[in-house]
């Protein structure tokens, strides 16, 4: 989707932590009217001392504004903790109830799939007394940034995903974010966007886990694991071809992949190195092969 560069927007950033501050500052540098809101007085004081607008309470403009929700959503093995998000949504709902203007609530916080439809929208509707798509709009713009490079990644993202049920909201956000560059994808499916974000992070975690496993194996045979990883990251088709191996439901096959995976797992046992990641990869692919699905060959 293409769109013209937007006029100056009124932006409220709820949560001025790493993600929120980076997003807000990048938008401010593009000429938008940005104010921060954070429950931490110390954080607000720090931002104000540096010339940024910040307050502990949300003030919605008489004009339609974009409210970026960038609050933490910590998680553990028992699931996500949405307490801070819920509290923010309840407060925003009350503010919406006092506004005659139709604002857009743009969630940037990481969410589990279906959170927008089971928590975000119902909470905003309950506390505002309004209806999404009529009295206010919602969107999900997950962040694909690295914490150490949060501001740089916000200024020059390589990918921006915009999800919103309302097409005009999607167009408005495209116009807002397109000037930053990078590829922009849009969808009306909020659940898909939620799943993309957590899959994005899970993929990175799986890749790190894979090379950690190979580092341990390399160390067991006195090989420089960093050298192995550096070469493989440039030689493997899975690293250099973005379309390789992403067709869901399709296992590997052919002469090389199953054979060499089995061989490496067996070799690891001979040197006393556990490779649960490789064993899981074999198990997952064999579960699809048992369904006689067409295979990916090396």
């Amino acid at each position: 989707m293409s769109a013209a560069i937007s006029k100056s927007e009124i932006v409220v950033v709820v949560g001025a932590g790493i993600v929120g501050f980076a997003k807000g500052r990048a938008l401010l540098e593009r000429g938008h009217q940005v104010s921060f809101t954070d429950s931490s007085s110390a954080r607000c004081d720090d931002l104000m001392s540096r010339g940024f607008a910040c307050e502990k309470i949300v003030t919605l403009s008489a004009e339609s504004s974009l409210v970026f929700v960038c609050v933490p959503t910590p998680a553990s093995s028992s699931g996500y903790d949405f307490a801070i998000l819920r509290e923010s949504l309840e407060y925003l709902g009350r503010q919406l109830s006092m506004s005659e203007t139709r604002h857009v609530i743009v969630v940037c916080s990481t969410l589990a799939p279906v959170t927008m439809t089971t928590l975000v929208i119902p909470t905003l509707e309950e506390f505002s007394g309004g209806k999404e798509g009529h009295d206010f709009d919602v969107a999900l713009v997950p962040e694909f940034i690295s914490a150490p490079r949060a501001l740089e990644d916000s200024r020059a993202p390589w990918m921006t995903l915009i999800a919103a049920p309302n097409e005009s909201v999607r167009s408005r956000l495209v116009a807002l974010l397109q000037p930053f560059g990078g590829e922009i994808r849009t969808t009306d499916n909020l659940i898909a966007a939620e799943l993309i974000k957590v899959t994005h992070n899970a993929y990175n975690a799986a890749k790190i886990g894979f090379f950690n496993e190979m580092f341990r194996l390399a160390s067991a045979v006195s090989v420089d694991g960093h050298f192995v990883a550096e070469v493989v990251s440039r030689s493997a088709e899975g690293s250099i071809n973005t379309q390789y191996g992403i067709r869901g439901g399709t296992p590997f096959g052919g002469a090389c992949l199953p054979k060499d995976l089995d061989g490496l797992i067996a070799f690891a046992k001979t040197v006393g190195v556990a490779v649960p990641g490789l064993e899981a990869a074999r198990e997952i692919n064999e579960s699809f092969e048992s369904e006689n699905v067409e295979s990916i060959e090396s």
Side-chain angles (χ1 to χ4, degrees):
M1 178 187 296
S2 63
I5 295 176
S6 67
K7 62 179 179 61
S8 176
E9 290 275 14
I10 300 172
V11 176
V12 178
V13 179
V14 179
I18 293 173
V19 171
F21 176 71
K23 171 63 69 177
R25 180 167 177 178
L27 288 168
L28 186 64
E29 291 171 351
R30 288 280 175 175
H32 300 285
Q33 304 172 56
V34 178
S35 61
F36 295 94
T37 300
D38 199 280
S39 59
S40 169
S41 297
R43 186 171 292 161
C44 268
D45 289 344
D46 175 62
L47 289 180
M48 288 189 291
S49 71
R50 295 156 59 191
F52 299 101
C54 187
E55 52 189 346
K56 290 191 67 175
I57 60 172
V58 175
T59 302
L60 294 179
S61 168
E63 300 178 50
S64 179
S65 59
L66 298 168
V67 183
F68 283 81
V69 180
C70 304
V71 300
T73 52
S76 65
S77 58
S78 60
Y80 283 93
D81 180 354
F82 292 129
I84 299 173
L85 176 64
R86 186 188 300 274
E87 182 179 354
S88 299
L89 294 171
E90 291 175 1
Y91 184 81
L92 281 173
R94 295 188 187 99
Q95 298 306 303
L96 288 171
S97 72
M98 296 183 286
S99 175
E100 297 181 358
T101 304
R102 184 167 165 175
H103 301 277
V104 182
I105 308 301
V106 184
V107 179
C108 298
S109 304
T110 301
L111 307 177
V114 310
T115 305
M116 287 292 291
T117 52
T118 61
L119 173 63
V120 174
I121 294 173
T123 303
L124 289 171
E125 289 183 336
E126 177 185 354
F127 285 84
S128 71
K131 293 292 293 181
E132 190 276 327
H134 182 268
D135 301 292
F136 65 90
D137 292 287
V138 298
L140 179 62
V141 180
E143 288 297 330
F144 303 127
I145 64 174
S146 169
R149 303 189 309 272
L151 183 55
E152 291 80 358
D153 289 347
S154 295
R155 287 168 170 162
W158 58 88
M159 167 70 73
T160 299
L161 174 63
I162 298 168
N166 187 312
E167 184 177 1
S168 66
V169 170
R170 295 197 300 274
S171 296
R172 183 177 175 184
L173 287 168
V174 168
L176 177 79
L177 299 173
Q178 193 173 55
F180 290 96
E183 183 177 355
I184 292 184
R185 294 291 186 97
T186 66
T187 179
D188 61 357
N189 192 322
L190 295 169
I191 300 173
E194 291 167 324
L195 183 58
I196 286 169
K197 168 59 180 181
V198 291
T199 301
H200 167 100
N201 283 350
Y203 175 75
N204 285 338
K207 183 175 181 179
I208 292 168
F210 171 79
F211 280 109
N212 274 333
E213 213 166 70
M214 293 304 97
F215 179 83
R216 184 176 290 147
L217 183 57
S219 297
V221 292
S222 301
V223 168
D224 182 355
H226 296 116
F227 178 65
V228 172
E230 182 182 356
V231 174
V232 170
S233 69
R234 300 292 297 165
S235 68
E237 188 174 353
S239 291
I240 60 179
N241 178 1
T242 59
Q243 295 303 306
Y244 182 85
I246 66 170
R247 199 165 69 245
T250 306
F252 56 59
C256 295
L257 298 188
K259 170 181 72 71
D260 289 338
L261 182 61
D262 285 341
L264 189 57
I265 291 171
F267 172 76
K269 290 179 180 177
T270 68
V271 293
V273 175
V275 284
L278 296 184
E279 291 173 350
R282 178 174 62 184
E283 180 181 350
I284 292 168
N285 279 280
E286 286 178 349
S287 73
F288 280 102
E289 287 178 338
S290 66
E291 301 171 14
N292 296 318
V293 182
E294 179 187 0
S295 299
I296 294 176
E297 297 191 1
S298 64

